[in-house]
Amino acid sequence: MGSVRAVLQGAWAVPGTFKTEAVVLRSIRFGEADRVLHLYSATRGRIGAIAKGARRPRSRFGGRLEPFFRLDMVLHEGRGELATVTGASTVAGHPRLRENGPALNAAGRACDAVLRLLDAAEPNPAGYNLLCRYLALLDGEGSVDGSGSGDGAAGLSTALAFRLKLTLAAGFAPELASCARCGEGDGLVGFSGAAGGVVCGACEGGGFGLSGDAHRFMVEALGAPLASVPAAREPALRQVERAVSETLEYHAHVRLRAAA
Ligand SMILES: [Zn+2]
């Protein structure tokens, strides 16, 4: 642990006080009046932090140390594993997201996926920007293209587009251009989590059948902005969900909650 910490500090951190923007992934009551936060930060990736006195009625943090808040933070890094929050101001509080059940649910699943998949204390700008973009969409900032399946920012198609992009940001994007086993470019009819991508008919054993619609959705969703989710029907989307889940189970050893 000591050596890991030394390496991390050598690479990214100056011991002492630092500033970063971060999203609150999880906020846990701790002790009499404190909170322990799981943060995903723009400049250091995952950070664990404690906010002392955050649950006192007149805490200077107000109510902003809650999940889905995007904050400008000042943190102090001491000897412990947790940094101490010394300042926090709101960049985006996402108030509309909080009043919308499906959006709240989708945001919760997104933060949970980030917690499980991006667990390193190192920056991942693509992952951070993706999370911020999704939370903004769920808050109703900008609208999801009508060309999509019509289930909106909080729906399954956007949730899966987010998950695919997160998989890419984490370095586990599935092979979609040719058979992940033999390299064949045609007749790609299945998906194999173990192989890490689409597979041809000859290599399908061990995988599952993947429809053309599901394959197309994955390619298009990875190539398009999150707000321009391609159209696909639920059976295809469930195949996409399975493909992403199996890829992450085999290669990242991470099991995600259902996408919606
Ligand atoms: Zn093959």
Side-chain angles (χ1 to χ4, degrees):
M1 188 62 208
S3 61
V4 171
R5 191 160 181 82
V7 167
L8 291 176
Q9 288 184 341
W12 310 113
V14 179
T17 297
F18 64 96
K19 294 180 180 185
T20 186
E21 203 186 278
V23 170
V24 180
L25 301 176
R26 192 176 287 171
S27 178
I28 303 159
R29 291 159 176 258
F30 184 77
E32 293 266 300
D34 304 341
R35 282 193 175 279
V36 167
L37 307 175
H38 291 273
L39 302 169
Y40 199 73
S41 71
T43 57
R44 298 185 183 210
R46 179 75 66 77
I47 297 172
I50 185 163
K52 291 177 180 159
R55 281 157 48 222
R56 295 217 170 87
R58 270 182 275 173
S59 160
R60 66 205 148 116
F61 301 122
R64 63 179 73 86
L65 301 183
E66 296 285 344
F68 322 134
F69 266 88
R70 180 177 174 180
L71 303 166
D72 260 330
M73 306 196 75
V74 184
L75 295 133
H76 184 80
E77 196 166 42
R79 291 170 184 275
E81 287 195 21
L82 296 174
T84 302
V85 182
T86 58
S89 59
T90 303
V91 175
H94 305 115
R96 288 161 296 189
L97 181 165
R98 280 160 214 289
E99 293 169 357
N100 176 328
L104 211 48
N105 221 325
R109 289 167 200 268
C111 285
D112 188 67
V114 170
L115 266 170
R116 292 175 197 230
L117 202 50
L118 300 182
D119 58 354
E122 58 188 52
N124 186 323
Y128 182 74
N129 291 335
L130 175 66
L131 177 62
C132 291
R133 184 77 191 114
Y134 190 35
L135 292 176
L137 280 175
L138 290 170
D139 193 49
E141 184 189 296
S143 59
V144 172
D145 275 2
S147 59
S149 66
D151 61 4
L156 179 60
S157 47
T158 308
L160 288 172
F162 170 80
R163 202 164 270 201
L164 274 162
K165 288 172 179 292
L166 186 65
T167 301
L168 176 66
F172 298 103
E175 170 60 54
L176 298 175
S178 57
C179 177
R181 284 209 193 281
C182 73
E184 174 61 48
D186 293 321
L188 302 167
V189 295
F191 190 94
S192 164
V198 293
V199 285
C200 73
C203 298
E204 200 194 335
F208 63 91
L210 188 79
S211 67
D213 282 349
H215 188 186
R216 198 173 314 116
F217 179 91
M218 289 196 278
V219 171
E220 290 179 6
L222 280 170
L226 193 58
S228 306
V229 182
R233 290 191 297 185
E234 173 137 4
L237 293 175
R238 290 298 173 189
Q239 290 181 352
V240 172
E241 179 173 15
R242 183 174 174 191
V244 174
S245 296
E246 292 191 4
T247 300
L248 292 177
E249 280 171 29
Y250 273 102
H251 300 283
H253 309 293
V254 164
R255 191 178 285 262
L256 299 182
R257 287 158 62 189

